[in-house]
Amino acid sequence: SGLAPEIAYFRWTNPATGVEKPFDANTQLVKPNGDILVHASDRHNLLRPETVESLFILWRITGEAKWRDYGWQIFEAFEQWARLPDGHGYSNLLDVTVVPPQHADKMETFFVSETLKYLYLLFSDSSTVPLSRYVFNTEAHPLPHFTWN
């Protein structure tokens, strides 16, 4: 689907023992020779803002086009898979590892108030809410910098 699951784990080796942590293929989605595993109960996507928020900050700090490219891929995946067939809204997805993913018939409010705001800002001119003059709180509200007198 091009969208991330709610939770993903990375394959790792204990540096002290050199022993790799085993994956349980019966309860986890593991791609052959893959380094990422996803539990069956974590395969949903709630349309969270954290990834696009990070892409927005990285774009503003570095100016590297790849951050916008990644954001555009996420936006296109939201449009393709999370948008409702009638075009009147979006829905959480039950399992992003299957195509097409099934809608959950629910959309969290943070999708509109945060996720789409960060996508908008990612593709806006850098003079729109400049990071040199504003800081974002945890709910994606821009607050102006100020000094104590």
Side-chain angles (χ1 to χ4, degrees):
S1 69
L3 293 169
E6 184 68 11
I7 301 172
Y9 301 88
F10 293 93
R11 183 182 302 274
W12 66 281
T13 301
N14 183 326
T17 64
V19 176
E20 185 176 280
K21 181 180 178 184
F23 289 161
D24 178 1
N26 293 322
T27 61
Q28 301 162 340
L29 173 71
V30 181
K31 302 240 179 194
N33 301 316
D35 292 327
I36 298 174
L37 65 139
V38 181
H39 294 203
S41 61
D42 299 329
R43 295 177 185 176
H44 57 284
N45 182 292
L46 301 179
L47 316 179
R48 289 190 185 274
E50 288 80 7
T51 300
V52 291
E53 175 186 13
S54 298
L55 297 175
F56 160 68
I57 298 293
L58 287 164
W59 157 250
R60 287 287 182 94
I61 290 172
T62 69
E64 295 175 3
K66 67 180 177 181
W67 306 117
R68 278 184 164 173
D69 295 341
Y70 296 146
W72 188 250
Q73 290 174 18
I74 292 170
F75 175 75
E76 285 184 319
F78 282 148
E79 285 294 298
Q80 183 173 11
W81 304 118
R83 189 177 183 109
L84 296 176
D86 64 6
H88 294 109
Y90 295 80
S91 173
N92 297 350
L93 302 172
L94 295 176
D95 185 346
V96 296
T97 67
V98 298
V99 174
Q102 183 180 356
H103 289 141
D105 195 27
K106 178 181 181 181
M107 180 189 76
E108 306 294 339
T109 58
F110 54 71
F111 178 66
V112 175
S113 64
E114 297 178 57
T115 307
L116 292 180
K117 183 187 302 181
Y118 281 122
L119 281 166
Y120 170 79
L121 290 169
L122 177 62
F123 297 103
S124 295
D125 186 85
S126 294
S127 64
T128 305
V129 193
L131 296 181
S132 60
R133 295 181 34 215
Y134 293 90
V135 64
F136 289 88
N137 71 4
T138 58
E139 299 300 320
H141 301 302
L143 303 172
H145 293 184
F146 67 92
T147 57
W148 295 97
N149 293 329

